[in-house]
Amino acid sequence: MPRRRLSERQVERIQRIQDRRRSKVEARAEVALAQLDDEAARNGLVVVRHGANLIVEDAEGACHHCVTRQHIGHPVCGDQVIWQPCGPTAGVITAIHPRTTLLSRPSASGQDKPLAANIGLLIIVVAPEPSPTGFLIDQYLIAAERIGVPALILCNKMDLLDDSERKGFLDRFAHYAKIGYPLLPLSLKHDPHLAPLRERFNGRAGILVGQSGVGKSSLIKTLLPDQEVQIGAISDATGLGRHTTSAATSYRLDSGGRLIDSPGVRSFRLGPITRAELEQGFPEFRPFIGRCRFSNCQHQQEPDCAILAANAQGAIATDRLLAFQQLAKTIRRSAE
Ligand code: GDP
Ligand code: ZN
């Protein structure tokens, strides 16, 4: 179906209808709650949100269709919540536990839209084919620093390279490992169990990001041989059918931890940032920030620039300096 642009009035109308629907559901939640007793409160994990409908997984792994109590905010995929059962497979969410991290992305309206909470590992997938371009890794790393999530760089499709090419490819990225972003060379083709990747989750919730064609969907399929079963359990609980899976969903990994996935998460991109945020996005710059001769130093070619000096002494990799300078230019251009 061709996409139609909606007029402002239409958008407003749709928003009003959705707000009305949401408050109806929330009002239902209040009524249901009045009949519950507090002792029944349980902890759970939001595995997917679909409008006002949420699926909460309990400690035994069973899925419950929940609505949210009014005024507690909007839980998203990955949220740890308190919920009260009402009926064998339904419940009401009464509180959201504090989030450790929140991944958002700018929506069409320019407002940040939360995608997933409590992500503990960002897996940036690269491959020799298609070759990484446009400082994409650095942009993902800036996003990881902003959210406060540890990141690793998964170099997939190593089977495409002979020994010396492989060394060359990994050498190109060796400077990332030195500043705290480990490299994980892998070949899905040669290592169909992905044990080295599974180990990295270490009980955390991870997401895979990276440009198209690097192997993300193949890796996810391998990590989640029971994805269809998990989707089935979610669909059974919502009664909404299978389309719910286009929303960010938290899947259980049989090897421990969770994988959060959706098309939106996989194609996640760094949104607009300020210059100060850009600087903070390069952790190895931190010891040198504020030490340049000029307080507004752009770290391009100014005299007595502490960042350029650190680069000359080998404390900051040239590729990272170039990435910073290029991204700073983009920020300056969009500010003009
Ligand atoms: P996505 O766009 O990142 O989701 O990438 P896909 O998972 O669709 O993979 C793109 C192509 O790369 C597919 O043809 C995969 O079969 C292939 N591919 C994935 N992993 C490997 C690998 O380790 N080695 C090789 N040679 N090909 C791979
Ligand atoms: Zn400087």
Side-chain angles (χ1 to χ4, degrees):
M1 211 167 63
R3 273 180 183 237
R4 209 158 44 93
R5 277 188 78 85
L6 299 176
S7 75
E8 236 168 76
R9 269 185 50 203
Q10 284 171 313
V11 172
E12 268 173 28
R13 204 177 131 252
I14 292 170
Q15 189 61 47
R16 263 201 315 277
I17 294 173
Q18 285 182 351
D19 288 348
R20 209 157 51 223
R21 281 195 193 135
R22 178 168 288 150
S23 47
K24 247 192 210 162
V25 175
E26 285 174 347
R28 244 190 3 243
E30 292 301 315
V31 172
L33 262 184
Q35 299 161 0
L36 293 174
D37 87 74
D38 272 356
E39 312 241 309
R42 300 170 64 181
N43 280 311
L45 169 77
V46 175
V47 291
V48 66
R49 167 192 190 103
H50 197 75
N53 300 287
L54 293 112
I55 297 299
V56 172
E57 192 180 295
D58 65 21
E60 285 76 46
C63 287
H64 305 265
H65 183 182
C66 289
V67 289
T68 303
R69 178 165 209 186
Q70 278 169 18
H71 316 306
I72 66 157
H74 295 302
V76 295
C77 168
D79 262 321
Q80 297 285 349
V81 295
I82 298 175
W83 67 286
Q84 299 209 359
C86 48
T89 58
V92 180
I93 296 174
T94 56
I96 306 173
H97 285 295
R99 293 166 173 157
T100 56
T101 63
L102 183 64
L103 181 74
S104 310
R105 70 166 176 173
S107 71
S109 67
Q111 263 186 331
D112 269 5
K113 206 177 154 198
L115 272 180
N118 302 320
I119 286 173
L121 180 64
L122 185 76
I123 301 160
I124 302 165
V125 187
V126 296
E129 188 57 53
S131 171
T133 52
F135 304 114
L136 194 59
I137 297 179
D138 305 283
Q139 294 189 49
Y140 282 125
L141 291 176
I142 295 163
E145 291 297 328
R146 282 192 73 195
I147 313 165
V149 178
L152 75 83
I153 300 167
L154 193 170
C155 304
N156 191 32
K157 305 197 195 181
M158 286 297 107
D159 56 283
L160 295 179
L161 306 177
D162 65 28
D163 283 352
S164 87
E165 288 168 334
R166 186 184 146 113
K167 185 177 176 314
F169 186 84
L170 295 176
D171 280 350
R172 245 176 89 191
F173 301 116
H175 61 277
Y176 289 114
K178 289 199 192 117
I179 51 172
Y181 308 117
L183 295 183
L184 180 62
L186 208 76
S187 162
L188 181 56
K189 235 178 196 167
H190 290 171
D191 182 7
H193 299 296
L194 297 178
L197 175 58
R198 289 174 181 280
E199 277 167 23
R200 300 294 179 124
F201 281 80
N202 199 12
R204 296 176 286 188
I207 64 168
L208 270 68
V209 296
Q211 72 194 90
S212 173
V214 292
K216 296 181 299 296
S217 29
S218 317
L219 290 161
I220 290 165
K221 222 181 192 167
T222 308
L223 287 171
L224 294 173
D226 65 340
Q227 186 173 25
E228 282 303 314
V229 178
Q230 293 196 45
I231 291 172
I234 292 169
S235 306
D236 289 349
T238 54
L240 289 174
R242 301 216 152 211
H243 63 283
T244 48
T245 50
S246 63
T249 304
S250 171
Y251 296 99
R252 203 175 335 103
L253 290 167
D254 53 17
S255 43
R258 321 263 326 176
L259 182 75
I260 294 190
D261 189 40
S262 80
V265 163
R266 277 185 223 172
S267 61
F268 166 74
R269 286 274 188 283
L270 178 66
I273 55 165
T274 65
R275 208 195 124 78
E277 286 168 336
L278 178 69
E279 269 181 4
Q280 286 306 310
F282 287 73
E284 76 273 38
F285 285 23
R286 281 177 207 154
F288 310 103
I289 298 288
R291 294 175 176 252
C292 302
R293 186 201 293 182
F294 303 111
S295 61
N296 63 347
C297 184
Q298 301 292 311
H299 322 311
Q300 300 283 344
Q301 72 267 307
E302 290 87 342
D304 291 334
C305 167
I307 300 289
L308 296 180
N311 168 244
Q313 285 159 13
I316 290 177
T318 300
D319 280 353
R320 291 281 283 174
L321 179 62
L322 291 174
F324 173 83
Q325 291 173 333
Q326 186 57 44
L327 294 168
K329 248 185 230 162
T330 318
I331 292 178
R332 270 205 305 281
R333 240 181 272 134
S334 58
E336 277 159 12

